Amino acid sequence: MNESSLRKATPGRLIAITVVLLILLSPFLWLLQMSFKTNDQILQFPPPLIFRPTLENYVALWHSAFSASFVNSLLSASLSTALALLFGVPAAYALSRWSGRGKHGLSFAILVTRMAPPIAFTIPFFLFYRWIGLLDTITGLVLVYTSFNLPLVIWMMQPFFDTIPVSLEEAALVDGARTRTVFTKIVLPMVTPGIAATAILCFLYAWNDFFFALILTRTNARTAPVAVVNFMNYEGWEWGKIAAGGSLVMAPVLIFSLAVRRYLVSGLTAGAVKG
Amino acid sequence: MSESGIDGERRRFIAFALTPSLIVLFAVAVLPAIYLIVTSLTPFQLTTPGSATDFSDPLRNYALLPGDPRFVNSLAVQAKLSVASVLFQVLLGMLLALLLNVPSRFVEFARTFFLIPMVLPPIVVAVIWKLIYAPDISPLYYAARALHFTLPALTSSVDFALTSIIIADTWEWTPFTFLMVLAALQTIPDEYSEAALVDGANRLQIFWYVTLPFITPILVISGMFRLIDSVKAFPLIFLLTGGGPGTVTEVTNYYAYLLAFDTNEIGYSSAVTVVMLLLVCGISLGLVWMGRRREALA
């Protein structure tokens, strides 16, 4: 097929794309450059476009309580991802292979649990955690994030299992293999790329959360997103630190989302957690 | 082993694989929903002993809602925020997609960078816009100062506070509609517009009569997705305006948050949340219904 004369990468179009991209990214770039400035440089007018970048904001964060909250974020995001995969991957396989009636209803019901606004979960979780002593614990956060990521895993993994022909499994079954063996030895290795992409998306959702962490943690289990905001409230608007904290929180997200950009749409349409 | 033996073993495995997830989902989604509804029937406050189990006037909270000016106002604010930001996001996302719908290595590479605002942690997006809207350090205010022009404090102004939230929300989520529309554009065969071109149609006519009908369903669907999600807007409001000035940017979600975790009105907040849930479910069901209709038509 020859290329359309209407959809051509003309120089004018490429310049337009570059300009639009720069405008779109300028707020993000502003945060980034600010994280390498001293507070004096930040307040300078006119703002210096060429300046000697400093790492002092990052060093200060490293020596503050922020590093502990960064570890909390890492822990709660990775543990909840592992748990969601542990429960969700077999369930996605089962849904993919189960031909019974009610399959679509069940898939949809699972998806709906992700569409509800987080506040609807936060109130019951807060009361329950308060009662059993899970407030301000990593365990508490892991539980919430697992419950939020489980539908995502089921929803994202099912199509991967769908692409594996059942005849492949039947052959092994006829040869006398047990279903469990077929699942772990034949099916799972074939969907490894899907599991990797799903894991990264789960990690990002847990990592990006602000709302649950704000309400369900205080100091011990405080995550990095909440810690960034706390710089504003208690440490007298240290813009350099705020910018550096923000940059650190978004670093893993940028790296990981580039890795799974092909799966971003399906992941996000599973009811984006935002709040 | 007989056929039915294999089938039986397989069925047991499927049930075994599905059960843990269903139990977890029941425990973390269905039970909290029930708990939320139960709580909404009480005047629950953490500081009032016995209030959590006081079912003497179960519909009190719901009866109060229509007469609560902050609740009614929050619905109006939500409607303004949702409608404006969804319209902007669909329109800008479509324009971006049209601009980037070219077969080119460079453009394909650049596309990834257009997605950055959407994947950033929502609180980082809020921090970014906090910087942009902060009078003493913002590039906006620097520019205004250089031009000897005074910009009002946008996020604390009655006139601009909601607009400043809408702008930030649009920045954050336009990549989403862009991605969806681009995917739809790439399914349109070039032959259609080529044929129209040969017939003497201009670019605008081709867009209107060929491209637009093709992408209308995806415009509607991505708009609906954004509409459902716009109810969850929290970090932007939390960080930029705190619902203010007054209640100008206090959406229902934020009002429910303040009620439960600021003023301790947990029972009443639960009622507000239940109403919100019903609204979201209504919109979601509408979305599914439209999806079905589309499948039926196709």
Side-chain angles (χ1 to χ4, degrees):
Chain A
M1 193 174 73
N2 57 342
E3 262 165 25
S4 166
S5 56
L6 285 162
R7 302 198 298 124
K8 249 198 202 131
T10 58
R13 196 159 188 171
L14 293 182
I15 292 170
I17 289 174
T18 313
V19 171
V20 172
L21 182 62
L22 280 178
I23 295 172
L24 183 88
L25 290 189
S26 56
F28 157 82
L29 296 172
W30 189 260
L31 173 88
L32 214 55
Q33 59 93 28
M34 201 179 250
S35 73
F36 296 108
K37 279 180 171 174
T38 62
N39 255 11
D40 285 345
Q41 284 170 330
I42 288 171
L43 293 168
Q44 221 170 320
F45 179 81
L49 284 178
I50 296 162
F51 59 95
R52 181 196 290 265
T54 169
L55 286 176
E56 67 175 50
N57 296 316
Y58 289 95
V59 174
L61 284 183
W62 177 257
H63 292 296
S64 72
F66 184 81
S67 44
S69 58
F70 204 81
V71 174
N72 285 340
S73 275
L74 277 177
L75 269 178
S76 52
S78 23
L79 288 176
S80 63
T81 301
L83 275 178
L85 289 174
L86 184 72
F87 288 117
V89 171
Y93 172 72
L95 271 183
S96 167
R97 291 298 180 259
W98 177 36
S99 47
R101 300 176 80 221
K103 171 180 164 164
H104 293 288
L106 189 60
S107 307
F108 183 69
I110 289 170
L111 188 56
V112 162
T113 58
R114 270 185 82 81
M115 289 193 172
I119 182 105
F121 296 93
T122 321
I123 294 174
F125 268 105
F126 174 79
L127 296 174
F128 183 64
Y129 278 11
R130 197 174 156 270
W131 182 49
I132 62 168
L134 275 180
L135 277 185
D136 202 17
T137 62
I138 300 281
T139 316
L141 275 187
V142 169
L143 266 179
V144 189
Y145 295 158
T146 304
S147 69
F148 253 69
N149 277 332
L150 190 52
L152 179 72
V153 174
I154 298 176
W155 201 82
M156 278 207 53
M157 286 308 299
Q158 210 183 314
F160 284 103
F161 289 120
D162 286 343
T163 60
I164 297 175
V166 186
S167 53
L168 207 74
E169 295 169 43
E170 277 164 356
L173 288 173
V174 170
D175 286 345
R178 295 178 59 88
T179 312
R180 187 166 31 124
T181 323
V182 173
F183 176 65
T184 51
K185 292 271 154 64
I186 297 175
V187 180
L188 270 190
M190 292 177 77
V191 294
T192 313
I195 294 181
T198 308
I200 290 178
L201 274 175
C202 286
F203 183 90
L204 291 185
Y205 271 120
W207 182 269
N208 281 358
D209 165 67
F210 173 70
F211 193 60
F212 286 111
L214 174 75
I215 288 159
L216 301 178
T217 70
R218 294 286 173 270
T219 47
N220 296 331
R222 180 193 291 158
T223 60
V226 182
V228 170
V229 171
N230 279 13
F231 280 126
M232 296 192 177
N233 299 330
Y234 305 117
E235 305 200 7
W237 297 93
E238 292 180 78
W239 288 113
K241 276 194 193 175
I242 293 168
S247 304
L248 282 178
V249 172
M250 70 192 183
V253 174
L254 290 177
I255 296 164
F256 278 157
S257 50
L258 290 184
V260 292
R261 60 183 188 277
R262 277 175 53 208
Y263 307 98
L264 276 178
V265 176
S266 46
L268 280 158
T269 49
V273 177
K274 177 196 177 196
Chain B
M1 204 185 272
S2 69
E3 272 306 298
S4 66
I6 290 178
D7 274 4
E9 201 245 356
R10 223 172 136 65
R11 253 200 303 277
R12 274 196 301 279
F13 180 80
I14 286 176
F16 170 75
L18 198 54
T19 313
S21 281
L22 290 184
I23 293 173
V24 172
L25 281 172
F26 182 79
V28 296
V30 181
L31 289 184
I34 295 171
Y35 194 21
L36 185 76
I37 293 170
V38 170
T39 307
S40 78
L41 303 176
T42 67
F44 190 10
Q45 293 178 316
L46 285 174
T47 46
T48 314
S51 59
T53 48
D54 176 6
F55 295 101
S56 56
D57 187 5
L59 294 178
R60 185 198 79 126
N61 291 327
Y62 293 96
L64 284 174
L65 285 176
D68 176 356
R70 275 180 82 172
F71 175 71
V72 176
N73 169 70
S74 78
L75 289 177
V77 174
Q78 183 71 69
K80 276 189 246 174
L81 174 68
S82 296
V83 170
S85 55
V86 169
L87 282 180
F88 284 136
Q89 285 160 27
V90 170
L91 188 67
L92 290 174
M94 185 187 76
L95 290 176
L96 265 185
L98 287 170
L99 180 69
L100 267 87
N101 184 27
V102 283
S104 138
R105 269 287 174 81
F106 167 75
V107 174
E108 226 157 84
F109 175 72
R111 258 177 223 156
T112 312
F113 293 93
F114 279 85
L115 306 184
I116 286 179
M118 167 179 72
V119 298
L120 289 183
I123 196 65
V124 174
V125 173
V127 166
I128 288 175
W129 286 92
K130 186 90 186 169
L131 304 179
I132 305 286
Y133 290 138
D136 45 347
I137 56 157
S138 148
L140 272 185
Y141 287 86
Y142 283 145
R145 237 162 100 189
L147 298 168
H148 302 288
F149 170 77
T150 318
L151 218 55
L154 295 172
T155 50
S156 52
S157 139
V158 176
D159 297 320
F160 296 113
L162 190 60
T163 310
S164 61
I165 300 275
I166 291 169
I167 291 173
D169 194 81
T170 301
W171 183 79
E172 185 177 6
W173 292 106
T174 296
F176 175 78
T177 48
F178 156 69
L179 206 55
M180 302 270 279
V181 178
L182 187 67
L185 281 178
Q186 288 174 342
T187 64
I188 307 179
D190 279 340
E191 283 79 2
Y192 288 17
S193 30
E194 293 293 343
L197 198 65
V198 171
D199 288 347
N202 63 34
R203 272 161 181 270
L204 204 63
Q205 286 169 323
I206 292 176
F207 169 73
W208 192 258
Y209 293 108
V210 181
T211 315
L212 197 57
F214 246 105
I215 59 172
T216 302
I218 206 74
L219 292 179
V220 174
I221 286 172
S222 51
M224 291 296 276
F225 269 118
R226 287 304 315 138
L227 191 66
I228 291 171
D229 267 3
S230 70
V231 175
K232 302 174 188 169
F234 183 83
L236 281 177
I237 294 169
F238 179 84
L239 211 57
L240 295 184
T241 64
T247 56
V248 172
T249 59
E250 193 175 272
V251 293
T252 315
N253 189 41
Y254 202 78
Y255 181 44
Y257 158 77
L258 288 179
L259 281 172
F261 301 106
D262 213 47
T263 55
N264 188 26
E265 292 286 349
I266 291 180
Y268 188 56
S269 174
S270 303
V272 171
T273 307
V274 168
V275 172
M276 225 170 78
L277 261 178
L278 290 176
L279 285 175
V280 173
C281 285
I283 299 175
S284 307
L285 283 177
L287 178 68
V288 173
W289 181 78
M290 281 199 327
R292 289 252 170 83
R293 246 179 79 89
R294 223 188 122 218
E295 269 170 35
L297 289 173

